[in-house]
Amino acid sequence: MKLKIFGILVLLSLISSCGDNTPPVDLSPQTKILYLGNGTEPKDLDPHTVTGVPESKILMALIEGLVIRHPEGLDPLPGMAQSWDISYDGKEYIFNLREASWSNGDPVTADDFVYAWNRMLMPSLGSQYPDMLYDVLNAEDFNKGKITDFSLVGVKALDAKTLQVKLKNPAPYFVELLAHYTTRPVHRPTIEKFGEIDTLGNQWTRPGNFIGNGPFTLEEWKLNQVIIVKKNPNYWDAERVQLNEIHFLPIDNVSREDFMFRAGQIHITSSIPTEKIEVYKEQYPDNISISPYYGTYYYRINLNKEPLNNKLIRKALSLSIDRELITEKVAKGGQIPAFSFTPPDPDGYFPPTRLEYNPSKAKELLKQAGYSESDSLTFELLYNTSEGHQKIAEAMQQMWKEALGVNIVLTNTDWKVYLSRENTGDFEISRAGWIGDYQDPKTFLDMMVSDRGNNKTGWSNKTYDGLLEKAAQSTTQKERYQHLYEAEKILIDELPIIPIYTYTRIYMKHESVKGWEPNLLDSHAYQYITIE
Amino acid sequence: MFSLILRRIGIAIPVLLTVITLTFLMVHSAPGGPFDEERAVSPEVLIKLNEKYNLDQPLSVQYFDYLSGILVGDFGPSFRYPGRSVTELISIGLPVTFELALYSILFALAVGLLAGILGALKPNTPLDYIPMSTAMIGICIPSIILGPSLILIFGIWLEWVPVSGWGYMPGDKLLPTLTLGTAYAAYCARLTRGGMLEILNQDFIRTARAKGLSETRVVIVHALRGGLTPVIAFLGPAMAGLLAGSFVVETIFGIPGLGRFYVEAAFNRDYTMILGSSIFFSFLIIFFNLISDLVAAALNPRLRD
């Protein structure tokens, strides 16, 4: 008995003596270390081969492009480029680079950008994001192997500090797009030390090898545990940087992330368990952050399947969706009912369409299409495993049954099965979501052009394609938006996709973090962030 | 003893080969591939990727290439993490999983043996009932319930220990060890009690007591040796089970162990990593069963052939 009590006492003392028990978040005002929940483990840290959000958050600390996004309004701020001039026709850009250096002290030159864009566009590198640069003259042809001489591509170093870019069409969003990680420079000697220009899985991204030009340097990368970046004393704007370190913690499990936030192990989460949203709005109104996100949650319709190729049926389906009910009672995360495919953009693009909820009109259209409720049409609704998608799919199933007598078979598959069925056109209706890469309607509308890989619906409309082409050639933003408005109207009239809601970013943020302002792209330049 | 080892190795080879073949076939017949992405990969890029990872070859060629790779210890590159080999991923995950399993088994033995011996010495008293019913509960609570409960109590309410991580913050190894070890401690307690009760009723124990030996000596020197046989037989499978089955605990506590890599690989269709870790886990299970048979044989002459 004595022995047992002794054992328990030893165990208890072991538990309570576990070092200093102050949670790291409480110490952070002194240590100036920011702890971030960062979703899944990054695949790699190479700006030219990665595609994910977790990777982009880390690259934001490590490598800086020509411009950076303003922490609040997303307007481009000078980054590596101190200033830039745009020609009258909007097709030629001259970037004047600042005196800046890589983390090893080498100067950042215009050649670094030419090399990086060459690398990004190499067909043999297999980058999944080359279209980010397709506005550049001949970039697409080079990437698709139609030309092999990179000097024909519209990017040139006029001297060490001057970069000239020629576009194939005016693109008013081009400077903003240059904040995206895919357009950022890489340190040529480091890439070549560990491989060729087009080596996939090049070891230069490992700690110790990594040379960047951003506000932080890569210190440690423990797979499935943590990525630590440290303040870069060689950064051009190092005086502004307040944080000493950022710890990016890969947390792919929402409940664990929630525990970690409550235990003071992280400052900012990447999401919140759906069932906690209501509770936290009450309990932690100052910590929960809900803000619009530049993305749309929608359903894809496969136009190669009968009778979904009938526009009237698609319209009937859309008319019987009560989007407000879905956002308020099902999704519950402050989402905004979508009335267009492109989310409204405070900078000036307001889609002219209005998707309505009108079950009686839906019934009428179904009748016009030659079907009645008693025909009990049956469609399969495909979605990837997730509680959120499941709930919305069930709500849809019910609404369609009630309004149109349509039967919906719910098919819940794992992520890769879902993707492969979507990519091979083996579906009738499927859930989809899209987050814009930069703030411009093009990132949404371009996806629905006939031959685009992400269209996936089999929808093809020559007028629509023509309008997007016209928009690309427009010289003024007003004229351009006019064409895009027309295109959006066609899309919403044809409905190869049925928009449901505009996404929101929902996460928890510790009150000590200052300068982390919500914005449409959820983009946060770390040099503007401090802990108090 | 030697023939036992030889016989086991003779069985192990066809078992491993079957595991490889079946896993290979299942992995490749699963719908969806490693390069199915939300942002559709262009056909040109897909061809390049398939070429690079040898997926453009017929399945039979891929199979024999893979087998010949294994013979020279090459498990191939990971599809999920460009630039990392399966061997590298296993060597990152294994030490962590092994450490977790080791702490858990030590905890299980410490608690289990103590409770089991007490129960056997004072059968049908509160000293027996209380630990044994606790053990029963311990066996019944799955780690997905126990883990979060411990997190809530010790991590969030009492704020004694971190709720996630492994060697990232002081004290973060404690809760995972308790969570994973509890069920095994409970098994261990019941096996010890059963084994000890049986031995304590035997003649040679009575003789030892009649000779006037102290109770401590009777228990530790005479009874334990035989009484622990069931526990030792259990240790091998337990260690294998701890290694292969730790992924739930690894997920709850964010531990960068092999279990998480394994499950993640399945979701990502990381073909080579799924195969590599399946082979590795099979090997571990075979190995620890062999070790536990050998130890049991060494302790109990009747098992020697």
Side-chain angles (χ1 to χ4, degrees):
Chain A
M1 191 68 184
K2 272 183 197 156
L3 203 65
K4 204 160 172 210
I5 293 172
F6 176 72
I8 292 171
L9 284 178
V10 167
L11 194 71
L12 283 181
S13 63
L14 204 77
I15 295 177
S16 53
S17 71
C18 290
D20 181 3
N21 293 315
T22 317
V25 163
D26 293 351
L27 295 173
S28 63
Q30 287 85 49
T31 58
K32 300 282 178 203
I33 300 177
L34 181 68
Y35 300 87
L36 294 180
N38 198 39
T40 50
E41 173 68 34
K43 286 186 177 175
D44 200 353
L45 292 176
D46 188 325
H48 301 145
T49 59
V50 299
T51 55
V53 173
E55 287 87 347
S56 78
K57 306 254 173 199
I58 301 168
L59 284 169
M60 182 85 118
L62 296 176
I63 305 182
E64 184 167 297
L66 289 167
V67 301
I68 47 186
R69 290 186 187 124
H70 192 283
E72 287 170 47
L74 298 179
D75 294 335
L77 291 174
M80 284 295 115
Q82 201 162 23
S83 62
W84 51 90
D85 300 300
I86 307 170
S87 71
Y88 185 68
D89 64 359
K91 288 192 185 177
E92 193 183 314
Y93 288 68
I94 301 285
F95 293 95
N96 306 305
L97 306 195
R98 70 173 72 247
E99 290 300 327
S101 59
W102 293 96
S103 50
N104 68 346
D106 289 356
V108 177
T109 65
D111 275 316
D112 290 331
F113 282 89
V114 178
Y115 177 77
W117 290 14
N118 184 1
R119 178 168 188 260
M120 170 76 185
L121 291 167
M122 288 292 281
S124 46
L125 182 71
S127 164
Q128 292 170 31
Y129 247 130
D131 45 326
M132 290 300 284
L133 287 175
Y134 278 3
D135 286 312
V136 176
L137 188 70
N138 289 331
E140 184 168 359
D141 284 348
F142 179 80
N143 182 246
K144 294 196 166 151
K146 288 180 192 154
I147 54 170
T148 51
D149 181 5
F150 189 73
S151 65
L152 297 174
V153 177
V155 56
K156 200 180 269 173
L158 297 183
D159 60 50
K161 293 287 170 194
T162 316
L163 183 74
Q164 179 200 50
V165 180
K166 286 183 177 166
L167 303 187
K168 67 175 179 190
N169 47 255
Y173 49 84
F174 188 67
V175 174
E176 205 211 307
L177 179 152
L178 294 175
H180 196 271
Y181 59 86
T182 48
T183 69
R184 292 186 199 157
V186 284
H187 187 243
R188 181 174 187 162
T190 309
I191 302 269
E192 289 178 346
K193 185 171 162 194
F194 296 99
E196 308 283 322
I197 185 169
D198 57 353
T199 308
L200 187 62
N202 189 312
Q203 305 285 321
W204 77 276
T205 53
R206 301 296 180 90
N209 302 349
F210 200 104
I211 301 291
N213 65 341
F216 295 85
T217 54
L218 182 63
E219 200 58 28
E220 215 176 320
W221 182 358
K222 284 189 182 163
L223 224 55
N224 270 343
Q225 176 119 329
V226 67
I227 288 183
I228 299 176
V229 300
K230 237 185 186 143
K231 184 176 171 173
N232 175 9
N234 282 331
Y235 178 57
W236 68 270
D237 201 11
E239 273 174 31
R240 190 190 298 277
V241 183
Q242 301 287 317
L243 299 171
N244 287 329
E245 284 179 21
I246 308 174
H247 291 210
F248 295 93
L249 299 152
I251 314 168
D252 45 14
N253 177 313
V254 274
S255 325
R256 179 156 69 86
E257 190 177 45
D258 181 47
F259 284 141
M260 288 177 76
F261 180 77
R262 285 158 69 193
Q265 281 184 255
I266 50 175
H267 285 102
I268 294 173
T269 67
S270 65
S271 62
I272 300 178
T274 325
E275 69 277 7
K276 294 271 173 77
I277 295 174
E278 289 300 316
V279 185
Y280 285 177
K281 275 192 208 161
E282 296 271 315
Q283 275 182 0
Y284 309 106
D286 299 335
N287 295 117
I288 188 166
S289 167
I290 302 184
S291 61
Y293 196 24
Y294 200 55
T296 305
Y297 188 98
Y298 62 102
Y299 277 0
R300 283 194 172 104
I301 312 277
N302 190 345
L303 271 76
N304 294 318
K305 305 271 180 183
E306 297 257 4
L308 290 169
N309 53 355
N310 188 334
K311 178 168 119 183
L312 295 170
I313 302 260
R314 301 198 296 269
K315 281 191 143 171
L317 288 175
S318 173
L319 281 167
S320 25
I321 301 172
D322 185 350
R323 292 178 172 78
E324 266 170 35
L325 183 91
I326 293 213
T327 53
E328 273 166 31
K329 303 281 184 229
V330 187
K332 290 190 202 164
Q335 291 87 347
I336 305 148
F339 51 84
S340 58
F341 186 37
T342 315
D345 155 9
D347 280 1
Y349 182 85
F350 282 97
T353 54
R354 180 115 223 135
L355 285 163
E356 52 173 343
Y357 169 55
N358 190 339
S360 55
K361 196 171 167 193
K363 281 193 185 82
E364 218 170 89
L365 291 181
L366 187 72
K367 208 179 280 173
Q368 278 182 34
Y371 295 91
S372 72
E373 285 178 48
S374 54
D375 280 334
S376 55
L377 287 171
T378 303
F379 301 120
E380 184 198 37
L381 173 53
L382 175 72
Y383 56 95
N384 57 297
T385 311
S386 132
E387 212 181 316
H389 302 331
Q390 168 101 12
K391 281 184 186 154
I392 289 170
E394 281 166 358
M396 289 292 190
Q397 184 183 38
Q398 203 181 343
M399 288 183 204
W400 283 334
K401 181 76 191 168
E402 275 170 22
L404 307 170
V406 167
N407 296 314
I408 294 294
V409 179
L410 300 179
T411 305
N412 174 349
T413 70
D414 100 320
W415 179 239
K416 289 285 184 180
V417 177
Y418 155 83
L419 289 175
S420 119
R421 287 192 60 186
E422 253 201 346
N423 289 340
T424 52
D426 177 21
F427 70 97
E428 290 184 314
I429 303 173
S430 80
R431 175 214 80 87
W434 190 259
I435 311 293
D437 294 315
Y438 49 95
Q439 195 177 323
D440 188 89
K442 185 182 177 232
T443 62
F444 285 87
L445 297 176
D446 191 63
M447 188 174 25
M448 296 311 293
V449 168
S450 302
D451 60 345
R452 296 293 190 265
N454 289 308
N455 179 322
K456 299 183 190 173
T457 59
W459 183 69
S460 164
N461 184 304
K462 290 281 162 289
T463 324
Y464 181 88
D465 297 355
L467 282 166
L468 264 107
E469 188 48 46
K470 273 188 199 159
Q473 299 303 335
S474 308
T475 42
T476 66
Q477 189 70 296
K478 195 179 164 206
E479 185 193 348
R480 188 168 162 266
Y481 278 178
Q482 213 52 51
H483 293 305
L484 294 177
Y485 286 151
E486 290 307 313
E488 181 121 26
K489 275 188 200 163
I490 294 178
L491 186 69
I492 292 304
D493 181 57
E494 289 271 327
L495 288 174
I497 43 116
I498 300 183
I500 297 168
Y501 62 70
T502 301
Y503 276 107
T504 40
R505 275 291 293 130
I506 313 175
Y507 54 86
M508 299 297 282
K509 179 169 79 85
H510 195 262
E511 55 274 11
S512 61
V513 181
K514 307 289 176 206
W516 183 284
E517 304 299 336
N519 58 53
L520 264 192
L521 290 177
D522 192 30
S523 165
H524 308 277
Y526 302 108
Q527 55 270 47
Y528 291 92
I529 289 160
T530 178
I531 306 172
E532 282 164 12
Chain B
M1 191 75 90
F2 190 64
S3 73
L4 178 73
I5 299 178
L6 272 187
R7 211 164 50 223
R8 282 311 187 82
I9 292 175
I11 300 170
I13 290 170
V15 167
L16 279 177
L17 206 63
T18 316
V19 168
I20 296 172
T21 314
L22 284 181
T23 316
F24 186 87
L25 289 175
M26 282 198 288
V27 160
H28 281 272
S29 57
F35 308 124
D36 277 317
E37 299 282 351
E38 183 162 35
R39 204 175 199 279
V41 180
S42 76
E44 298 90 6
V45 170
L46 197 62
I47 292 170
K48 290 266 162 3
L49 287 172
N50 281 335
E51 229 168 74
K52 179 176 160 66
Y53 290 101
N54 210 14
L55 291 176
D56 53 342
Q57 303 284 333
L59 213 55
S60 54
V61 176
Q62 289 183 45
Y63 177 71
F64 287 108
D65 280 356
Y66 186 73
L67 277 187
S68 52
I70 293 179
L71 286 180
V72 293
D74 176 15
F75 286 85
S78 160
F79 291 25
R80 165 70 162 74
Y81 300 104
R84 295 187 192 261
S85 68
V86 170
T87 317
E88 183 189 349
L89 295 183
I90 291 181
S91 67
I92 291 173
L94 183 72
V96 174
T97 301
F98 193 80
E99 197 187 346
L100 172 62
L102 190 70
Y103 293 163
S104 305
I105 206 103
L106 287 178
F107 167 76
L109 282 176
V111 175
L113 287 183
L114 196 66
I117 292 171
L118 277 176
L121 289 178
K122 313 265 179 208
N124 305 323
T125 64
L127 264 187
D128 181 20
Y129 294 145
I130 297 172
M132 283 308 125
S133 20
T134 317
M136 209 57 223
I137 297 170
I139 293 174
C140 295
I141 299 182
S143 46
I144 34 173
I145 309 251
L146 185 62
S149 313
L150 291 177
I151 288 178
L152 276 175
I153 299 168
F154 296 106
I156 293 181
W157 294 338
L158 297 173
E159 292 192 356
W160 283 359
V161 279
V163 300
S164 169
W166 187 259
Y168 176 61
M169 283 166 60
D172 59 6
K173 294 181 180 178
L174 211 72
L175 292 187
T177 304
L178 289 182
T179 309
L180 191 59
T182 298
Y184 290 90
Y187 272 115
C188 211
R190 295 200 66 84
L191 287 172
T192 312
R193 180 181 179 272
M196 289 294 283
L197 270 183
E198 199 189 320
I199 296 287
L200 285 172
N201 287 331
Q202 295 206 358
D203 291 345
F204 74 92
I205 296 291
R206 199 175 312 143
T207 313
R209 284 194 177 129
K211 281 199 301 185
L213 292 180
S214 73
E215 189 62 15
T216 325
R217 197 173 158 81
V218 171
V219 173
I220 291 177
V221 178
H222 295 272
L224 264 186
R225 184 174 161 133
L228 286 191
T229 317
V231 179
I232 286 158
F234 166 72
L235 279 184
M239 194 64 191
L242 279 168
L243 285 172
S246 62
F247 92 90
V248 175
V249 173
E250 287 178 12
T251 307
I252 297 173
F253 292 97
I255 298 168
L258 196 51
R260 257 176 91 203
F261 280 114
Y262 190 28
V263 176
E264 206 183 71
F267 283 126
N268 290 313
R269 303 290 188 273
D270 191 344
Y271 293 156
T272 43
M273 185 61 195
I274 303 174
L275 275 161
S277 21
S278 301
I279 296 168
F280 199 74
F281 279 129
S282 318
F283 172 77
L284 285 181
I285 292 171
I286 293 170
F287 178 75
F288 281 105
N289 277 309
L290 176 64
I291 296 282
S292 108
D293 282 357
L294 290 179
V295 174
L299 284 178
N300 188 342
R302 273 174 297 177
L303 294 172
R304 266 178 216 163
D305 192 74

